[in-house]
């Protein structure tokens, strides 16, 4: 193996120079104007007995949070209507996110 090959070896045996950080699962979100946005799924979490999902659009750095329901293979996202509920859910998400950042 040449020096260059050793530099490109990533440790997985594929002999490439790519980064093996865990890839994020994605889903497509359809907006009100029928455009589709690909979003990374940051996580599903529970607040006061309800599940929520945090999404990160691939082309943006703004976290989107929706109410989350899963019925079999169907996923249903709902808007968070009240400011009070949104504040609670946002605080819970950022608390979880901060915990994960500290663990890394």
């Amino acid at each position: 193996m040449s020096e260059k090959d050793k530099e490109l070896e990533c440790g997985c045996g594929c002999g490439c120079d790519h980064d093996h950080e865990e890839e994020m699962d994605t889903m497509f979100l359809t907006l009100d104007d029928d455009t589709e946005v690909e979003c990374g799924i940051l996580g599903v979490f529970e607040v006061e007995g309800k599940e929520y999902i945090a999404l990160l659009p691939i082309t943006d750095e703004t976290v989107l949070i929706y109410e989350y329901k899963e019925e079999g293979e169907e996923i249903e996202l709902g808007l968070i209507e009240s400011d009070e509920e949104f504040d609670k859910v946002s605080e819970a998400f950022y608390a979880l996110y901060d915990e994960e950042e500290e663990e890394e």
Side-chain angles (χ1 to χ4, degrees):
M1 185 180 286
S2 72
E3 282 302 311
K4 186 171 185 174
D5 289 338
K6 287 179 186 174
E7 288 174 19
L8 294 178
E9 186 69 44
C10 63
C12 75
C14 69
C16 62
D17 65 348
H18 63 267
D19 188 6
H20 278 283
E21 286 188 32
E22 189 175 319
E23 287 191 28
M24 188 181 303
D25 289 334
T26 62
M27 67 182 289
F28 286 90
L29 184 63
T30 304
L31 304 178
D32 289 337
D33 64 358
D34 289 331
T35 58
E36 285 192 340
V37 177
E38 185 176 12
C39 297
I41 301 171
L42 297 175
V44 175
F45 57 100
E46 188 175 313
V47 176
E48 295 181 357
K50 282 185 170 178
E51 286 192 313
Y52 298 90
I53 189 168
L55 304 173
L56 183 63
I58 300 299
T59 58
D60 196 354
E61 292 186 18
T62 304
V63 175
L64 306 173
I65 300 176
Y66 292 92
E67 189 174 324
Y68 176 85
K69 292 180 185 173
E70 196 170 337
E71 302 276 337
E73 297 217 4
E74 293 289 315
I75 294 174
E76 188 177 313
L77 303 182
L79 295 176
I80 300 172
E81 299 292 331
S82 77
D83 290 339
E84 181 181 319
E85 181 182 6
F86 184 79
D87 290 343
K88 282 182 191 175
V89 173
S90 295
E91 286 177 26
F93 168 74
Y94 286 111
L96 287 170
Y97 181 77
D98 287 343
E99 279 180 23
E100 286 182 16
E101 286 288 309
E102 289 173 9
E103 289 176 8
E104 292 179 5

